């Protein structure tokens, strides 16, 4: 795959993955936020989502939290192991095939990522990577892109808003109480060699169908700064 083909492919995957993540956040985080101050998710939890194309169910996505806490080598702190997997249904693979798996080790107390692994396959294209997070005066991320055997290095200032990977962003937002969604929320999510700095703005109260019933929820707008992937004049919501 040449550079241009790879750029186009990765750009499409970024949009799809972020779209799935945002969809999960809007339903799941607010549906559980009314619970106690302890985390609304528990080890062993499994959440299953349908992937829709128009009226058709074209696959499913599963978020699974390992029932065991993990203590990675060199760390005495407990970590969650969380996995997100999305696959298209067998009948839909005639038109498009996607097999996407993300797995993260996330420190329990502050929900900071330690390691993030990703394996994406779409027809004859693959994208496999491993991101390693270290924390000192700055946040350093060492990324090994397995399918092209390349290491890349990134460094970001700590700032007031932590840098998280996709799954720790998901878990951190789920951990918030309902009252904490009354104002704008600033986010910094590292995904595929890019840092997405965006803002979530609360919108109207609404209801969504969840697990066969209607639940109360809030709609959010997402504001991304103009840049390489988000052009001026295009709504990023």
């Amino acid at each position: 795959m040449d550079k241009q083909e790879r750029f186009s492919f990765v750009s499409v995957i970024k949009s799809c993955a972020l779209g799935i993540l945002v969809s999960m956040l809007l339903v799941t985080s607010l549906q559980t936020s009314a619970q106690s101050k302890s985390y609304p998710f528990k080890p062993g939890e499994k959440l299953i989502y349908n992937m829709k194309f128009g009226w058709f169910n074209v696959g499913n996505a599963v978020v699974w939290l390992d029932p065991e806490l993990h203590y990675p080598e060199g760390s005495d702190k407990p970590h969650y192991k969380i996995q997100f997997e999305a696959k298209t249904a067998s009948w839909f693979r005639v038109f498009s095939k996607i097999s996407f798996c993300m797995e993260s080790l996330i420190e329990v107390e502050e929900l900071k990522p330690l390691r993030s692994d990703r394996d994406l396959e779409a027809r004859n294209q693959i994208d496999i990577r491993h991101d390693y997070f270290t924390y000192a005066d700055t946040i350093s991320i060492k990324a090994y892109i397995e399918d092209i055997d390349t290491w890349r290095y990134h460094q970001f200032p700590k700032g007031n808003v932590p840098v998280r990977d996709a799954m720790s962003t998901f878990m951190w937002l789920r951990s918030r109480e309902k009252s904490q969604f009354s104002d704008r929320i600033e986010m910094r999510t590292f995904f595929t060699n890019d840092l997405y700095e965006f803002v979530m703005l609360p919108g109207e109260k609404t209801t969504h169908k969840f697990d066969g019933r209607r639940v109360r929820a809030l709609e959010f707008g997402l504001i991304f700064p103009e840049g390489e992937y988000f052009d001026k004049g295009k709504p990023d919501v």
Side-chain angles (χ1 to χ4, degrees):
M1 184 191 315
D2 63 28
K3 183 176 180 181
Q4 181 60 40
E5 289 175 331
R6 181 176 177 78
F7 174 83
S8 300
F9 170 66
V10 170
S11 298
V12 170
I13 295 307
K14 284 182 181 182
S15 300
C16 291
L18 285 173
I20 292 173
L21 176 63
V22 168
S23 297
M24 293 192 303
L25 294 175
L26 297 185
V27 176
T28 309
S29 62
L30 294 170
Q31 196 253 340
T32 57
S33 62
Q35 300 184 32
S36 65
K37 288 187 177 180
S38 61
Y39 292 148
F41 45 82
K42 302 296 181 185
E45 174 188 77
K46 179 181 284 188
L47 304 173
I48 302 175
Y49 301 85
N50 290 326
M51 296 167 57
K52 295 286 189 179
F53 183 79
W55 294 100
F56 300 101
N57 184 6
V58 299
N60 60 59
V62 177
V63 179
W64 178 72
L65 190 59
D66 195 316
E68 301 293 332
L69 294 178
H70 294 255
Y71 292 82
E73 184 177 352
S75 174
D76 59 354
K77 295 182 178 181
H79 286 68
Y80 290 121
K81 182 178 180 181
I82 185 170
Q83 184 182 87
F84 167 73
E85 186 175 20
K87 288 185 178 181
T88 48
S90 56
W91 70 268
F92 192 72
R93 291 172 190 168
V94 176
F95 309 99
S96 178
K97 175 185 176 182
I98 293 179
S99 177
F100 183 52
C101 181
M102 288 191 298
E103 187 174 281
S104 295
L105 278 176
I106 300 170
E107 190 263 318
V108 170
E109 184 177 353
E110 297 184 47
L111 296 178
K112 295 190 304 185
L114 178 68
R115 172 173 172 166
S116 179
D117 301 297
R118 192 185 73 208
D119 187 333
L120 186 147
E121 298 181 26
R123 292 193 179 274
N124 298 322
Q125 300 170 320
I126 61 173
D127 185 8
I128 304 172
R129 64 180 294 130
H130 313 280
D131 296 334
Y132 304 87
F133 293 72
T134 56
Y135 303 89
D137 294 334
T138 59
I139 299 171
S140 299
I141 304 172
K142 180 174 64 173
Y144 176 56
I145 306 170
E146 186 175 323
D147 51 297
I148 58 175
D149 192 22
T150 297
W151 285 92
R152 291 181 183 166
Y153 302 88
H154 310 270
Q155 197 169 59
F156 304 104
K158 277 190 171 180
N160 295 325
V161 181
V163 174
R164 305 183 188 276
D165 71 342
M167 297 314 300
S168 58
T169 297
F170 169 66
M171 294 182 74
W172 183 84
L173 284 169
R174 285 195 64 197
S175 74
R176 302 299 88 189
E177 294 182 358
K178 187 175 182 180
S179 61
Q180 294 171 304
F181 287 94
S182 61
D183 202 356
R184 57 185 284 153
I185 300 174
E186 295 183 14
M187 305 297 303
R188 300 167 77 198
T189 299
F190 181 81
F191 190 78
T192 314
N193 293 314
D194 281 303
L195 182 65
Y196 289 86
E197 299 184 272
F198 62 98
V199 173
M200 296 178 61
L201 294 176
E204 299 295 326
K205 293 182 179 180
T206 184
T207 60
H208 283 274
K209 189 174 182 180
F210 181 82
D211 197 24
R213 57 194 176 91
R214 303 297 295 187
V215 297
R216 289 180 296 176
L218 290 177
E219 293 183 345
F220 280 86
L222 300 182
I223 300 179
F224 289 85
E226 180 185 354
E228 184 177 4
Y229 299 107
F230 302 100
D231 297 332
K232 183 177 180 180
K234 293 184 179 179
D236 304 316
V237 176

